[in-house]
Every structure is written in C-alpha cells, then in structure tokens.
Amino acid sequence: MAIDIGRRQFISAIGGATVAWPLAARAQPAMPVIGFLSSLSSSYIASRMPPFRQGLNELGYVEGQNVAIEYRLAEGQYDRLPALAADLIDRKVAVIVAAGGTDPAKAAKAATATIPIVFISAADPLNAGIVTSLNRPGGNVTGVNLLGSPLETKRLGLLNEIVPGAASIGVLVNPGFPGAELEVRELREAASAINRQINIVRASTEAEIDTAFTTLAQQQAGAVLVAQDTFFVSRRDQILTLAARYKLPAIYGNREFAEAGGLVSYAADFVDGYRQTGIYVGKVLKGIKPADLPVIQPTKFELVINLKAAKALGLTMPHSLLVLADEVIE
C-alpha cells in the first residue's frame, strides 16, 4: 500500500531527516507538523527535500528542532490520495504541502477548507480549479506553479531544431493530465506554424506507454516530445529505455530525464520551486493566510543537453543550442 513505507527505509531515502511518526508527534505537541502529500515516489521526493528544507530554514524553521514533517506518498497510486489526505487531517497537521501535479492539491482541498495548503505543480492550478486567481488565490490554498504545459510549444520548437526535416514528431500525452487536450490543441497549432507534422499518442498506464512507443516506431516518427506529467516522471526509466530502444531523440519536461540518460530537457527550475514552496510553508506557519500569498510562477528555465545520448543516437547538436544550454552533460 502507498503508506506502508518501512520506517528505516524511508528515513534513509529522505536523507536522514526526522520523520514525525504518530508517537513522536504526540510526544511534542508544541511542535507544528507539516503534512507532505504527494503522488510521487519516495526517491523523487527525497531529491527535492534539501531545497524545501532550505526554504523552511530561511523562515527560521528547522526540521526536527521546531517543526516536524509527516510524509504521505502515493507512489503513483493516485486513488490513494484522498485517504492519505484524510489521514494527515486526522493528525491535525498545521499545513499541507501538496506536490506532484494538481491531484494532491485537489485531494487536500476536497478534504479540508480550513487547514492551509501549499501546492507545487507544473499543471495549471486555474484550469484544475485549485485556485480562482493567481494574484489572489482565495480560500485556503496557494503555492508554486512550475508552468509545465505552457512550455510544451517551446519544447516542440527545440526538438524541431535538433531533428530538422520532414519526419513527423511524436507527442506522448497522458489523457488524465489536467489540460491535456488544451496542450494537444496548442501543439497542433505550433506544429502547423513550423510546417511539421505531429502524431499524438496517449498513455496513462505502463502498458500503454509501451504501446505508444511501438506506435511511434511503426509511424517512423523522427523524434518524440514527452509531455510534462507526474505519471511520466514515475515511469522515467521505462520511457528512457523505450526511447533508446527505438532510437528516438526525445525532449522532456524534467531535467532528471536528461541527467539519467535522456537527450534534452527544458523546464522550470524545480529546485528553486521547492525552495519557494518551503518559504511559503514557513510564511503560513508564521500566520500569513494562503489567500494573501499570490501563486508563484518561475522566471528561470533550464535547458539541459546530454551529449552522450546524442552520440548514441548519431546526432550532432546545433551549436546555437549548446551555447544556450544551462548544462551540457558529456
């Protein structure tokens, strides 16, 4: 089950941090507890905790000293989120962090209208109904929007530079992603503007990802754009393996893909996004209402190029992109 993570195993995964287990929380009633609700894996969240803690530290909070954190991670099992959110509310946490798409925030918002919620998501919080305004969120929810969907057309343009020519570009989309159809419409318009055909393939399960890549290979796609989605992040190794097997140059919405062997990623600075989330949680703990904290959107975006992957694909990366890249992996 999603919450059955071994205590020692999970403490190790999050870098030795103090975990507020129920007995510990009761032993220190004066210490505020942050509930960390996520659809993502423990390994992914572990990689994001250092900048989150940094943000908390900037507001004077140190995990294990004057604040505790209880983790409830769905490990990709989205149907577990409502129960995990309810469990955090039963623990009487002071604030809930909802990370990994809009589903955790929606589950938390459905469960409580009083406990403050700070989300971090690449999906559109307006389209998902999490907030009614970016500048004045209202209610008990605010957070950090990492602008995943609005960057898809930029990623398509980059992929068109990397793999020019007449071959179609495949686009892997999760139909369950909020705003997926809007993404598809915008990508079709962008493709038309650059006179490039795109083929949309959809996947929301492990088996469907396999089928999608087989379809792209049969269509002789020249490259693939993997749309931003937390489910695809959880299936990173599978997607990277398939892209390599079919020799498909690919661009991704998370730098972890490029770091793990993918060709290119273009995305907001997720590290800074989690730091900002920590800062907002600290502000909420100090008494500021979420309604008075505007939703943060990034101003910095990272282009990461993996030259080892390019060599394996027989690609020569455009010099113009190498100059622009924030990081080149050799």
Side-chain angles (χ1 to χ4, degrees):
M1 292 176 62
I3 59 173
D4 289 341
I5 303 172
R7 188 171 189 262
R8 292 182 180 177
Q9 177 185 0
F10 189 57
I11 290 175
S12 176
I14 62 171
T18 299
V19 180
W21 300 94
L23 289 175
R26 286 198 294 271
Q28 300 181 41
M31 184 182 290
V33 178
I34 299 166
F36 204 107
L37 177 68
S38 179
S39 57
L40 297 165
S41 68
S42 55
S43 60
Y44 183 89
I45 292 301
S47 71
R48 298 306 184 195
M49 291 313 295
F52 176 76
R53 294 189 194 103
Q54 179 186 341
L56 282 175
N57 294 349
E58 290 179 29
L59 270 292
Y61 292 98
V62 178
E63 185 181 1
Q65 294 185 18
N66 59 357
V67 70
I69 303 178
E70 288 211 12
Y71 300 86
R72 296 294 181 272
L73 310 181
E75 300 279 349
Q77 301 175 49
Y78 293 90
D79 59 337
R80 295 290 303 159
L81 288 168
L84 296 178
D87 187 54
L88 287 174
I89 291 165
D90 287 343
R91 303 293 185 208
K92 296 181 172 24
V93 297
V95 56
I96 295 175
V97 177
T102 54
D103 288 314
K106 288 164 74 173
K109 185 178 180 181
T112 178
T114 55
I115 297 175
I117 299 166
V118 179
F119 69 84
I120 176 166
S121 169
D124 184 350
L126 291 171
N127 184 59
I130 297 172
V131 296
T132 56
S133 166
L134 296 179
N135 290 329
R136 302 182 65 84
N140 62 322
V141 185
T142 189
V144 179
N145 177 214
L146 293 171
L147 295 176
S149 299
L151 298 181
E152 300 297 5
T153 56
K154 173 66 175 179
R155 294 184 189 111
L156 179 64
L158 291 169
L159 199 52
N160 184 56
E161 289 186 56
I162 295 166
V163 189
S168 65
I169 292 176
V171 177
L172 179 64
V173 175
N174 181 356
F177 183 80
E181 291 310 309
L182 176 60
E183 277 185 353
V184 169
R185 288 197 300 272
E186 292 179 344
L187 282 167
R188 291 193 190 282
E189 292 173 2
S192 177
I194 59 176
N195 197 30
R196 195 76 186 260
Q197 179 184 344
I198 61 172
N199 295 327
I200 308 297
V201 288
R202 294 172 171 83
S204 57
T205 67
E206 180 180 346
E208 287 174 352
I209 291 174
D210 286 334
T211 301
F213 272 87
T214 300
T215 299
L216 291 176
Q218 292 171 344
Q219 293 172 341
Q220 297 184 324
V224 59
L225 184 158
V226 178
Q228 170 70 46
D229 182 69
T230 54
F231 172 65
F232 293 155
V233 172
S234 73
R235 301 308 308 165
R236 182 194 66 190
D237 292 345
Q238 177 191 6
I239 290 171
L240 289 174
T241 298
L242 289 166
R245 178 186 303 167
Y246 292 112
K247 296 192 178 299
L248 280 170
I251 190 166
Y252 307 94
N254 297 79
R255 69 174 293 143
E256 287 78 14
F257 278 88
E259 291 174 340
L263 180 62
V264 179
S265 67
Y266 182 72
D269 185 344
F270 277 57
V271 170
D272 189 62
Y274 273 82
R275 184 185 69 85
Q276 293 282 3
T277 303
I279 290 173
Y280 259 25
V281 170
K283 289 183 176 181
V284 168
L285 290 174
K286 287 185 177 294
I288 301 177
K289 296 179 180 179
D292 297 328
L293 294 171
V295 173
I296 296 172
Q297 291 187 313
T299 57
K300 180 184 177 183
F301 304 93
E302 298 178 315
L303 175 64
V304 181
I305 297 174
N306 189 319
L307 286 182
K308 184 177 179 180
K311 183 178 180 180
L313 291 164
L315 284 177
T316 299
M317 297 299 293
H319 179 71
S320 58
L321 293 186
L322 291 173
V323 171
L324 291 174
D326 296 275
E327 182 177 350
V328 177
I329 300 171
E330 301 196 50

